[in-house]
Amino acid sequence: MLKIIVGIKWVPDTADVKFDPVKGTIIREGVESIINPPDLNAIELALALKEKYGGEVYVISMSPPSAIKGLKMAVAMGVDKAFLVSDRKFAAADTLATSYTLSCAIKKIGSYDLVIFGEETIDSATGHIGPEVGEMLGIPHLSYVTEVQEVDLQQRTIKMVREVEDGVEFFQANLPVVISVGVGINTPRYPIPLRRLLTELETNKYIETWALNDIGADPEKVGFKGSPTRVVKVIAAPMPARRLEIREASGETVKLFIKRLKEAEII
Amino acid sequence: MSKEKFEGVYVYIEQRKGVIQEASLQLLGEARKLAEKLKTEVSAFLIGYQLKKLVKEPIYYGADKVIYVDNKECANYNPEIYKTVLVQLVMKYKPEIFLIAGTKYGRELAPSIAADLETGITADCTAFDIDEKGNLLQIRPPFGGRVHAYIITPEKRPQMATARPNVFPLPERNVSRKGEIIKEETEVSKPSMALIKFEKGSEAEIPIEKAEVLISFGRGFNLEDAHLLEELCDFFLKSSISCSRPIVDAGLMPRSRQVGQTGKTVRPKLYLAIGISGAIQHLAGMKDSKFIAAINKDPNAEIFKFCDFGIIGDYKEVIPLLIEELKKKQAPS
Ligand SMILES: Cc1cc2nc3c(=O)[nH]c(=O)nc-3n(C[C@H](O)[C@H](O)[C@H](O)COP(=O)(O)OP(=O)(O)OC[C@H]3O[C@@H](n4cnc5c(N)ncnc54)[C@H](O)[C@@H]3O)c2cc1C
Ligand SMILES: Cc1cc2nc3c(=O)[nH]c(=O)nc-3n(C[C@H](O)[C@H](O)[C@H](O)COP(=O)(O)OP(=O)(O)OC[C@H]3O[C@@H](n4cnc5c(N)ncnc54)[C@H](O)[C@@H]3O)c2cc1C
């Protein structure tokens, strides 16, 4: 029996995000939100491990209630239970405060063998949450994991593979551990229509909402108050201007291309 | 602890198997500038095993002081051990600013140190400055590089940040620079996670971040035609082959050749994207290339909005034409 907790973030689909060029702010209105892509790979990995070793998969998300949509989707994919960790006091958290809040919620869930996060989000993309939560739970953490080779439930050990710049590393660790995984390590399954229906009909059975008091968090350490970093300003970063000379393929086009490369002193 | 007790700019110098990673030396140049503004020193933390040959290198690249831990247990990078050692060094030396190169190891190590110290950390910075109050201004490009966020850590110390590799220039190596070298002993407890095997990836002759010309391919390219890429490459000096993420995820190329948000940042003189659609996460890694060219059969591909020269067509036809023309240019007339 493996008990696995997956952290997911409900994020604006950055491909759609627009920026206000005057105010330099992000326009979130009208932008679809999605489960952060690698978090789907994290869910898939968790469900595959459950199928192999038996057990339970829980997802948690610290978020405003709008993330319920994402949690329902996770349940429809086959997750046993989802926890929405939500409180006004959690607002404007940086990664330290987010990780603290998530680690309180994970402790509240109680026993677990494996905690899985995405490698990084498509919005603020720090990749901090996995390592920070590991530290706060006092257990080892490994990022960039591409495969869980084996879990030994008797010895309570896990074998993992991960990719770094210059090669592939194989690690063995005692359970529990925290790992982070990237997009492309597997193909996330689709939500099951019947489960989707069940989640709609019996939302309360599958999704629990926890506020600050429920997870026993220190109010000084959450949200804006608990965040040592401050975002002073955000400005739009225009893409470098390009010549945009686009041509249909032909002998002439290729000649022109080579001419341009010469002008740019590339050849 | 009051923040006044923290002083100096510190850089973690990452070594892998006895080789100092260039990304951390690049940071020494940036650290020097910050230290001059703050009128303080630059120090380097270095950990590993049998480091004798390496300890002076950070001095040559701009550090005033090197503090190193030479311990058999640190021979290979282990996130648990390295974190414990670095936390002890930070507690003892109390840096005002602590910078770590945003390599895969660095991006994993830095937040775990920050969490242990309960301080703030900013990820993947591409610029630094000192604000009017003397805080470290940390500038980073989230949302696939479409915005720049300015971040400070006003109260907690150290102010920690990782920095994207290959953004800051490598300072000149000056072997006549002098500095202080301090050996530290720290406690290393038995880790609950261990590296059991390492398989070295096949590295390109010229790593993609050093190439002046990159022939880059994506999902629209069939590797059965790999010879076309190689032939094309041969026309350019200092050229190399890179790719988009799905190619690496499919196991067709090593991770070291991936361009993008979760791969490498490159800025060659020529970036030629073949069968790459131009997703925001891909653009994040190559948008600052000097000249961007694309071959794509879809006239509406995003990449055509971000390139200097675009050829609409099937690469199977375009590349042979290109090779033919390049051959003509080469032949003595
Ligand atoms: C422009 C901008 C820049 C920022 N830069 C920084 C910065 O440099 N440093 C900093 O400390 N804060 C920063 N923040 C704040 C940061 O965005 C939040 O703390 C955010 O909630 C978590 O960070 P992330 O998205 O980078 O997560 P990552 O660490 O990239 O996320 C990794 C994984 O953790 C899990 N995860 C992330 N968030 C949650 C959640 N709420 N619930 C459950 N699981 C989750 C997911 O599995 C995800 O894939 C920034 C915010 C903005 C708007
Ligand atoms: C969190 C996250 C991080 C990511 N990080 C990265 C990253 O670091 N790097 C990265 O690259 N991606 C990254 N991605 C993936 C990214 O979103 C895109 O999915 C990916 O870049 C697409 O790769 P591609 O352009 O090769 O493939 P596709 O988008 O499938 O494009 C293939 C292109 O080839 C063209 N084509 C097809 N046949 C031919 C032909 N015969 N001749 C010419 N053209 C042809 C098609 O028109 C199409 O435009 C990330 C995604 C997420 C969610």
Side-chain angles (χ1 to χ4, degrees), chain A residues 249-251 254, chain B residues 225 228 295 297 311-324:
Chain A
S250 72
V254 168
Chain B
D225 300 319
L228 288 177
I295 301 172
K297 68 176 186 189
I311 304 178
I312 305 168
D314 191 326
Y315 74 85
K316 287 184 203 229
E317 284 150 32
V318 179
I319 301 180
L321 275 177
L322 198 52
I323 290 172
E324 196 183 313

Side-chain angles (χ1 to χ4, degrees), chain A residues 92-96 128 224 226-232, chain B residues 119-122 138 151-154 156 160:
Chain A
D94 72 359
T95 58
L96 193 78
H128 288 170
F224 187 72
S227 297
T229 66
R230 291 282 174 264
V231 177
V232 194
Chain B
T119 189
I121 172 161
T122 303
Q138 306 156 96
I151 295 173
I152 56 169
T153 304
K156 292 283 179 97
M160 284 187 67

Side-chain angles (χ1 to χ4, degrees), chain A residues 14 124 163 169 183 232, chain B residues 105 140 146 148 150 245 255:
Chain A
T14 47
S124 51
E163 285 179 14
E169 294 181 329
V183 287
V232 194
Chain B
Y105 290 168
R140 62 177 304 251
R146 291 198 294 175
H148 287 162
Y150 290 64
R245 176 154 186 153
R255 190 68 64 192

Side-chain angles (χ1 to χ4, degrees), chain B residues 284-301:
Chain B
M286 43 61 87
K287 67 179 169 55
D288 294 317
S289 304
K290 239 180 171 166
F291 193 102
I292 297 177
I295 301 172
N296 197 304
K297 68 176 186 189
D298 174 8
N300 298 317

Side-chain angles (χ1 to χ4, degrees), chain A residues 12-19 24 26 28 37 94-96 119-129 131-133 135-136 139-144 146 149 159-160 162-174 177 182-185 221 228-251 253-262 264-267, chain B residues 16-17 77-80 83 102-105 107-108 111-112 114-116 118-124 137 140 142-156 162 191-201 203 213 235-236 245 248-249 255-256 261-262 264 269-270 272 280-281 283 286-293 304-314 318 321-322 325-326 328-329:
Chain A
D13 188 349
T14 47
D16 295 342
V17 175
K18 302 278 180 295
F19 298 95
I26 302 153
R28 289 179 194 252
D94 72 359
T95 58
L96 193 78
E119 194 171 285
E120 61 180 52
T121 58
I122 53 170
D123 56 354
S124 51
T126 63
H128 288 170
I129 303 297
E132 288 184 336
V133 169
E135 190 53 39
M136 290 172 184
I139 58 178
H141 164 269
L142 200 64
S143 290
Y144 311 110
T146 52
Q149 285 184 305
K159 283 188 178 149
M160 302 159 287
R162 65 124 161 221
E163 285 179 14
V164 292
E165 289 90 342
D166 55 348
V168 179
E169 294 181 329
F170 298 76
F171 276 91
Q172 175 162 336
N174 297 331
V177 285
V183 287
I185 63 149
K221 288 188 172 182
T229 66
R230 291 282 174 264
V231 177
V232 194
K233 65 173 173 183
V234 177
I235 56 170
M239 294 294 264
R242 295 286 165 193
R243 251 164 294 185
L244 300 175
E245 209 168 350
I246 315 295
R247 299 284 158 100
E248 291 282 346
S250 72
T253 296
V254 168
K255 279 195 185 118
L256 182 64
F257 178 43
I258 290 173
K259 185 165 168 248
R260 294 289 183 253
L261 292 183
K262 278 196 150 171
E265 294 175 359
I266 293 162
I267 47 175
Chain B
R16 292 187 187 189
K17 299 167 188 74
Y77 167 77
N78 177 307
E80 250 182 306
K83 179 217 75 195
T103 59
K104 299 226 159 164
Y105 290 168
R107 290 183 93 242
E108 166 179 85
S112 67
D116 191 308
E118 295 192 28
T119 189
I121 172 161
T122 303
D124 304 318
L137 197 54
R140 62 177 304 251
F143 288 91
R146 291 198 294 175
V147 299
H148 287 162
Y150 290 64
I151 295 173
I152 56 169
T153 304
E155 299 303 329
K156 292 283 179 97
T162 56
S192 53
M193 182 165 72
L195 178 73
I196 42 185
K197 190 168 76 171
F198 175 76
E199 277 172 10
K200 197 169 165 32
E203 183 48 90
V213 170
F235 288 101
F236 303 96
R245 176 154 186 153
V248 177
D249 286 341
R255 190 68 64 192
S256 58
Q261 169 93 28
T262 50
K264 286 180 174 169
K269 282 188 185 162
L270 168 64
L272 175 56
I280 178 167
Q281 292 90 0
L283 295 171
M286 43 61 87
K287 67 179 169 55
D288 294 317
S289 304
K290 239 180 171 166
F291 193 102
I292 297 177
F304 286 140
K305 295 183 194 153
F306 302 99
C307 68
D308 294 291
F309 201 96
I311 304 178
I312 305 168
D314 191 326
V318 179
L321 275 177
L322 198 52
E325 278 303 315
L326 286 164
K328 277 192 211 158
K329 293 277 167 224

Side-chain angles (χ1 to χ4, degrees), chain B residues 72-126:
Chain B
K72 202 169 172 200
E73 296 298 322
C74 300
N76 284 314
Y77 167 77
N78 177 307
E80 250 182 306
I81 296 178
Y82 274 47
K83 179 217 75 195
T84 315
V85 169
L86 282 168
V87 165
Q88 289 173 68
L89 293 179
V90 171
M91 303 266 251
K92 174 157 181 187
Y93 287 89
K94 300 195 170 47
E96 183 177 1
I97 292 172
F98 183 25
L99 307 177
I100 296 180
T103 59
K104 299 226 159 164
Y105 290 168
R107 290 183 93 242
E108 166 179 85
L109 196 51
S112 67
I113 295 168
D116 191 308
L117 299 166
E118 295 192 28
T119 189
I121 172 161
T122 303
D124 304 318
C125 295
T126 51

